[in-house]
Amino acid sequence: MKTVPFTFELAGPDFVPSTYDNHIQRRLSAMKGQYLDQAAYAAMLAEGDPLLYEVYELQRPTVAGELLHGISIVHPGLVGDEYNMTKGHFHEVLETGEIYYCLKGRGFMVMETPEGETAVEPLFPGRVLYVLPRWAHRSVNASLDEDLVTFFVYPGNAGHDYGTIEKQGFRKLVVAQDGEPAIVDNPRWGQP
Ligand SMILES: [Fe+2]
């Protein structure tokens, strides 16, 4: 881990950082129970286990004062009518926020609070999104032919709570309707 100030580059077309410490790959099998169309999910999984998204992280100490940062790349595709997306999470330390900067593609950040407030914000190149503390967040790629690439920064002590979303899902879904993305209520929200 670096002990002096450092720089790196994020360059197109893929925006993979010129230096990184961790490369995480999440496949369809990691998304059990998250997609509305469970039959389509099972059918796809029987055919293989496609790569849905990747994260490149620069390692820093997981303590308050440090800033964890990296790149998220959500590949294009559909499971049933639902666009490819990340698992989504609350921060373990709920009172911590996050900043996303969209570098490439077209998509949405789906967000909600434990109290049931929801927000869905479009992402496109040049757009900055500030995710307030307490808001769970999930990136959705709403393009069928291009990656959604975002740069993210969040506090070193934030941690991740994936379990709550794995159990209940998000209240809002982004689905393809007549070839266009639409935001709809999740009829399975809260069901295991
Ligand atoms: Fe986060």
Side-chain angles (χ1 to χ4, degrees), residues 15-36:
F15 295 100
V16 171
S18 56
T19 179
Y20 60 85
D21 299 300
N22 302 319
H23 177 204
I24 299 155
Q25 294 186 309
R26 293 247 197 258
R27 296 181 177 277
L28 187 65
S29 55
M31 299 294 284
K32 192 174 182 313
Q34 291 301 299
Y35 284 99
L36 180 61

Side-chain angles (χ1 to χ4, degrees), residues 89-91 97-98 100 131 135 137 154 158-160:
H89 57 266
F90 286 95
H91 288 166
E98 183 155 353
Y100 283 84
V131 180
W135 288 75
H137 38 287
Y154 62 98
H160 291 98

Side-chain angles (χ1 to χ4, degrees), residues 94-111:
L94 203 53
E95 302 297 339
T96 52
E98 183 155 353
I99 284 181
Y100 283 84
Y101 178 60
C102 183
L103 293 159
K104 181 180 179 176
R106 185 169 70 106
F108 295 91
M109 191 70 76
V110 176
M111 296 168 280

Side-chain angles (χ1 to χ4, degrees), residues 111-156:
M111 296 168 280
E112 67 184 50
T113 66
E115 292 74 32
E117 277 181 284
T118 64
V120 180
E121 284 294 331
L123 296 172
F124 47 81
R127 178 157 264 204
V128 178
L129 168 67
Y130 185 84
V131 180
L132 265 66
R134 303 184 65 76
W135 288 75
H137 38 287
R138 155 181 287 167
S139 315
V140 179
N141 184 347
S143 162
L144 292 179
D145 50 32
E146 195 178 23
D147 287 339
L148 175 70
V149 184
T150 51
F151 174 71
F152 59 81
V153 190
Y154 62 98

